Amino acid sequence: MAQQVRTWRIGYLMDRSGPVAFDEAFVQGLRENGYVVGQNVTIEYRWTEGQSARLPALANDLVSQRVDVIVTAGAASVKALKAATATIPIVMASSQDAVADGLVASLAHPGGNVTGRSVYGPELTPKRLELLKAALPGLSRVGILWNSQNPGGLNQFREAEAAGQSLGIHIVSLNTRFPDDLEPVMAQAARAGATAVLTLSDSSTITFRAEIAAAAQRHRLATMFSNAAYLAGGGLMSYGPDLVETFRLAAGHVDKILKGAKPADLPVEQPSRFEFVINMKAAEQLGLTIPPALLLQADKLID
């Protein structure tokens, strides 16, 4: 008699509108670890459709489905899931400062039922500002687009302020609720004399990446994002880890948990490589000439 193959059930909660390239990368990662959707694994997808207030209800819904593990990204989503369950393992496909946000006890020893991957590094914000300064000679003011509703937003903003001070750049706070505040805050940045905007990573910003880039473009503001996925919306530059790769590798945490590992004992992994990408079409639309030395630094140029 043939042995019956167990079908694992994965919950998948994302605070954005529908699937993007990250999500297919996660499924690819599952395949690389021997899991095929429809054969030995099923995925229960839940999207907030840009309405973060839905997170608690969606988290409770997934818990009620008695899934074996839940995959998510972003502090608000993790906190909603932690409030809904202390027993079902939660894998962060991407997170910012997971320790400061209260998601895990430490990266090496997470404790509790949460583990996964982090894309945070205190050196990243200063590097992004440095690259903006190199792209825009004479840069003196930068708007920081951030969301105070994001648990880790304030810490990231303070990092930007400190980095700006060391680089001689005045920081203009653009505390935003997406997407309604985008036009007014971009106008505010322009009035304040900013010539560029750095968007702090937030689960809602990927949903509204095109709106952010378009609003900035209308006010002739150069944009810097945390990873290349944002540039599909028309942003100018990005510096950070490859989020597609991050989601693919998160499947490894899921595999270990399904094979019996405890989230409390699985270290939160961090990226080892960062990429600098420039959108040449966006530069042309802004009338910018990127210095040749900066073009040589880029890992990738896209049109």
Side-chain angles (χ1 to χ4, degrees):
M1 183 176 177
Q3 185 176 3
Q4 187 174 1
V5 176
R6 175 169 180 174
T7 299
W8 299 97
R9 302 183 70 213
I10 299 174
Y12 198 88
L13 173 62
M14 295 292 156
D15 186 12
R16 48 181 160 80
S17 302
V20 293
F22 310 154
D23 310 307
E24 176 52 37
F26 172 71
V27 174
Q28 177 188 337
L30 287 177
R31 288 196 296 268
E32 292 169 0
N33 283 281
Y35 302 92
V36 179
V37 175
Q39 293 185 18
N40 59 354
V41 70
T42 61
I43 303 178
E44 292 282 342
Y45 290 102
R46 300 292 186 274
W47 317 97
T48 63
E49 302 297 339
Q51 300 177 47
S52 300
R54 298 181 62 202
L55 282 171
L58 293 174
N60 284 319
D61 179 37
L62 279 177
V63 170
S64 73
Q65 300 297 317
R66 298 185 179 181
V67 293
D68 298 294
V69 60
I70 302 175
V71 177
T72 194
S77 300
V78 176
K79 288 191 173 187
L81 286 165
K82 284 185 70 174
T85 178
T87 55
I88 298 176
I90 299 166
V91 171
M92 304 178 295
S94 169
S95 64
Q96 288 295 321
D97 195 346
V99 177
D101 290 343
L103 310 182
V104 296
S106 73
L107 297 183
H109 304 284
N113 62 326
V114 178
T115 186
R117 296 191 60 82
S118 170
V119 295
Y120 170 77
E123 74 281 6
L124 294 178
T125 295
K127 181 64 175 179
R128 289 164 185 148
L129 287 172
E130 285 176 17
L131 291 169
L132 274 174
K133 193 166 185 176
L136 303 166
L139 178 72
S140 61
R141 289 175 179 261
V142 173
I144 302 297
L145 191 69
W146 66 294
N147 178 7
S148 62
Q149 304 302 306
N150 175 18
L154 183 58
N155 286 339
Q156 290 185 66
F157 177 73
R158 286 174 175 164
E159 285 178 1
E161 281 190 311
Q165 187 172 11
S166 67
L167 291 167
I169 297 172
H170 179 76
I171 297 300
V172 179
S173 174
L174 306 175
N175 187 0
T176 311
R177 292 197 178 192
F178 300 95
D180 297 340
D181 290 351
L182 283 173
E183 189 62 33
V185 299
M186 293 299 181
Q188 173 193 340
R191 285 195 305 270
T195 51
V197 169
L198 167 61
T199 297
L200 300 185
S201 188
D202 180 290
S203 56
S204 59
T205 58
I206 190 67
T207 296
F208 300 111
R209 61 193 183 278
E211 289 85 349
I212 294 170
Q217 187 83 246
R218 285 191 291 272
H219 293 279
R220 312 302 293 170
L221 296 164
T223 48
M224 169 65 80
F225 292 95
S226 58
N227 62 77
Y230 285 89
L231 301 192
L236 175 64
M237 298 190 298
S238 67
Y239 179 78
D242 181 347
L243 266 193
V244 171
E245 179 79 350
T246 298
F247 270 66
R248 183 182 71 82
L249 293 174
H253 273 79
V254 172
D255 175 50
K256 291 172 185 174
I257 287 169
L258 295 182
K259 288 176 176 173
K262 303 297 182 185
D265 303 324
L266 283 178
V268 175
E269 295 179 356
Q270 295 179 286
S272 57
R273 188 176 68 86
F274 304 105
E275 61 177 4
F276 174 38
V277 182
I278 303 174
N279 183 340
M280 299 304 291
K281 182 178 179 181
E284 182 181 354
Q285 290 171 337
L286 285 166
L288 289 178
T289 299
I290 304 296
L294 195 62
L295 293 176
L296 290 174
Q297 287 184 45
D299 297 288
K300 191 183 302 180
L301 303 175
I302 61 174
D303 295 318

